[in-house]
Amino acid sequence: MLAGKFGMPLPQAVSMLEDLSATAAAEGLDFHPEVQVPANTLDAHRVLHLAAERGVQGAVKERLLLAHFTQGEALGDAETLVRRSAEAGLDAEEVRAVLAGDRY
């Protein structure tokens, strides 16, 4: 995907991701680009606005980043957003209401 997006040869894109993974590991971060699922993150950002209002934005953001960069979950999936947000302290039904509407 990156090779096509940035118009680079595949080996260069692979090398770039390997370097990024090594840098992340050196900082103690678990980064797995091979499992990442491309997604429209508009709804994830909307949920983060709700999380900010409820005082749990940092915790929700951490859960979403873990889901995307480490565990290969699609941040464009509403149920993933609901589950991960609820793990961080948001009310699942409130998240569903935000996702069903046009708030934020």
Side-chain angles (χ1 to χ4, degrees):
M1 183 183 87
L2 286 177
K5 180 176 182 177
F6 295 112
M8 65 177 68
L10 183 59
Q12 182 182 354
V14 169
S15 176
M16 183 177 74
L17 290 173
E18 288 171 347
D19 290 346
L20 185 56
S21 294
T23 300
E27 294 297 322
L29 300 173
D30 196 16
F31 179 77
H32 297 282
E34 71 279 2
V35 301
Q36 293 171 18
V37 177
N40 181 330
T41 60
L42 176 64
D43 283 339
H45 286 90
R46 294 173 58 222
V47 170
L48 286 171
H49 283 283
L50 171 65
E53 287 183 1
R54 300 297 177 262
V56 293
Q57 186 179 44
V60 171
K61 184 177 179 182
E62 285 296 319
R63 291 292 198 292
L64 297 181
L65 291 173
L66 176 69
H68 179 71
F69 289 112
T70 302
Q71 298 173 337
E73 294 187 56
L75 295 187
D77 176 67
E79 284 308 307
T80 297
L81 294 174
V82 169
R83 180 174 41 81
R84 290 301 186 150
S85 299
E87 290 172 1
L90 283 179
D91 177 75
E93 290 310 312
E94 188 173 21
V95 174
R96 282 188 181 93
V98 165
L99 295 175
D102 61 0
R103 195 166 155 201
Y104 309 109

